[in-house]
Amino acid sequence: MRWFLTKGRRLNRVYVAFMLVSFMMGIAGALQAPTLSLFLSREVGARPVWVGLFYTVNAIAGIGVSLWLARRSDRQGDRRKLIMFCCLMAIGNALLFAFNRHYLTLITCGVLLASIANTAMPQVFALAREYADRSAREVVMFSSVMRAQLSLAWVIGPPLAFTLALNYGFTTMFLIAAGIFAVSLTLIAFSLPSVERLEQPADMAITEVSGWKDKNVRLLFIASTLMWTCNTMYIIDMPLWISSELGLPDTLAGLLMGTAAGLEIPAMLLAGYYVKRFGKRRMMVTAVMSGVLFYLGLNLFHTREALLLLQLFNAVFIGIIAGIGMLWFQDLMPGRAGSATTLFTNSISTGVILAGVIQGGLAESFGHHTVYWAIAALSVVTLGMTMRVKDV
């Protein structure tokens, strides 16, 4: 990994700092997200409909706030200072959830703080892209390794979150998350660089900043949204489907998620290594094809061994689109790394909103098996749209 070394063959401390920040912030996020519905239900006493409303409001607010901050970050100011501000909001959000159990406070103040806090990670990736470009380093492999840190965080985070929440209480869990964000803030302040950027004209239209006028950006955003809709529908429905319709052990759901997250890491690293040879478009098309095979396989094979084997296709699908997808947005929107990265993360948020509505409606009206045929059909549509986006 030559890009990890300076010209004198010494370890590049800036790159190590980027890795540590992405891993630690990933861990902090992975402590909070998996247990949120359990927290709202048990600690706050929210009914299922209010739990669902919280997720919807949180996702919609996150899209609006992150787009606004991304637009400002690409025009002016020090991106590192914005990341520090977002990290400070993340600390405040974790402390609020640690000591507050009032639903209206959490869905207003909590959602606002979370929306700002969640902008930190795409801004870290945008800063990393700008730093790599300025220092003439390998961008794709560096970004892939950073994405792998998030996958590793999600292998470790969810089991740790449930252990802390169930054995020591949610207050302890959120306080630990706040502490990790505080350490991340210190690393950002003293280890990450400030990168000088070209200012965008103040009167530039939002459609120009976001790249929405570009047909390829629009196609990629819609395709990426559908990719994450498929993935989120699977994550929401799979634990229920396994226990209620397949009659398999509840613990299998956690094993499948952990297996997929673990396999995503080599998938991301291999994608970063081979992307120069095959190109981003071909790699993304391969990923979506793997997703189609995965979702079709879920409809056809229902044994424990088959479901575990299918996770290989799931890992290739998610591992590639999580890393290469973001870089494809950035390449289609040169000079607007913040907006491009945020557009990618907002495709994930939009996918979450769509997935909750579609999965809930289908499972309620037609049963869980219908969800997987719908996911398979969506993945085929996604494949067609991805093939129409130009390579860069």
Side-chain angles (χ1 to χ4, degrees), residues 95-235:
L95 291 175
L96 178 66
F97 275 77
F99 298 110
N100 189 283
R101 298 296 185 269
H102 190 255
Y103 181 83
L104 287 178
T105 304
L106 296 176
I107 203 173
T108 51
C109 296
V111 163
L112 177 61
L113 291 172
S115 299
I116 300 173
N118 291 337
T119 308
M121 190 56 73
Q123 290 295 323
V124 168
F125 276 94
L127 180 64
R129 173 65 185 258
E130 290 170 345
Y131 176 76
D133 286 340
R134 296 298 188 277
S135 57
R137 302 260 177 184
E138 175 56 56
V139 172
V140 176
M141 194 63 192
F142 175 47
S143 180
S144 297
V145 175
M146 281 186 67
R147 292 294 312 187
Q149 304 308 306
L150 293 184
S151 290
L152 180 60
W154 275 85
V155 172
I156 300 169
L160 179 60
F162 281 101
T163 299
L164 290 172
L166 298 179
N167 294 330
Y168 301 98
F170 284 95
T171 296
T172 299
M173 187 199 72
F174 283 118
L175 286 175
I176 290 175
I180 296 174
F181 276 124
V183 175
S184 300
L185 177 60
T186 304
L187 277 172
I188 294 165
F190 294 102
S191 301
L192 295 192
S194 295
V195 179
E196 183 180 351
R197 291 171 292 114
L198 296 175
E199 291 189 7
Q200 299 288 342
D203 58 347
M204 181 176 288
I206 183 64
T207 51
E208 294 179 53
V209 175
S210 68
W212 197 250
K213 285 186 175 180
D214 189 324
K215 180 187 72 172
N216 291 286
V217 174
R218 292 198 306 270
L219 273 174
L220 184 56
F221 178 81
I222 296 170
S224 182
T225 295
L226 293 179
M227 293 175 201
W228 294 108
T229 300
C230 292
N231 178 62
T232 308
M233 286 175 66
Y234 163 73
I235 290 174

Side-chain angles (χ1 to χ4, degrees), residues 230-251:
C230 292
N231 178 62
T232 308
M233 286 175 66
Y234 163 73
I235 290 174
I236 294 172
D237 195 82
M238 183 265 289
L240 305 172
W241 176 60
I242 280 180
S243 59
S244 64
E245 292 207 0
L246 300 187
L248 296 170
D250 293 338
T251 53

Side-chain angles (χ1 to χ4, degrees), residues 240-277:
L240 305 172
W241 176 60
I242 280 180
S243 59
S244 64
E245 292 207 0
L246 300 187
L248 296 170
D250 293 338
T251 53
L252 180 59
L255 179 60
L256 293 177
M257 288 185 180
T259 300
L263 291 172
E264 283 171 20
I265 297 174
M268 286 180 181
L269 297 178
L270 288 172
Y273 182 79
Y274 284 108
V275 71
K276 276 193 170 181
R277 180 182 301 181

Side-chain angles (χ1 to χ4, degrees), residues 326-356:
M326 180 181 64
L327 293 173
W328 204 2
F329 272 105
Q330 292 174 346
D331 286 350
L332 288 170
M333 301 170 61
R336 292 167 288 174
S339 293
T341 309
T342 300
L343 202 59
F344 172 73
T345 57
N346 282 345
S347 72
I348 301 176
S349 299
T350 308
V352 171
I353 296 170
L354 292 176

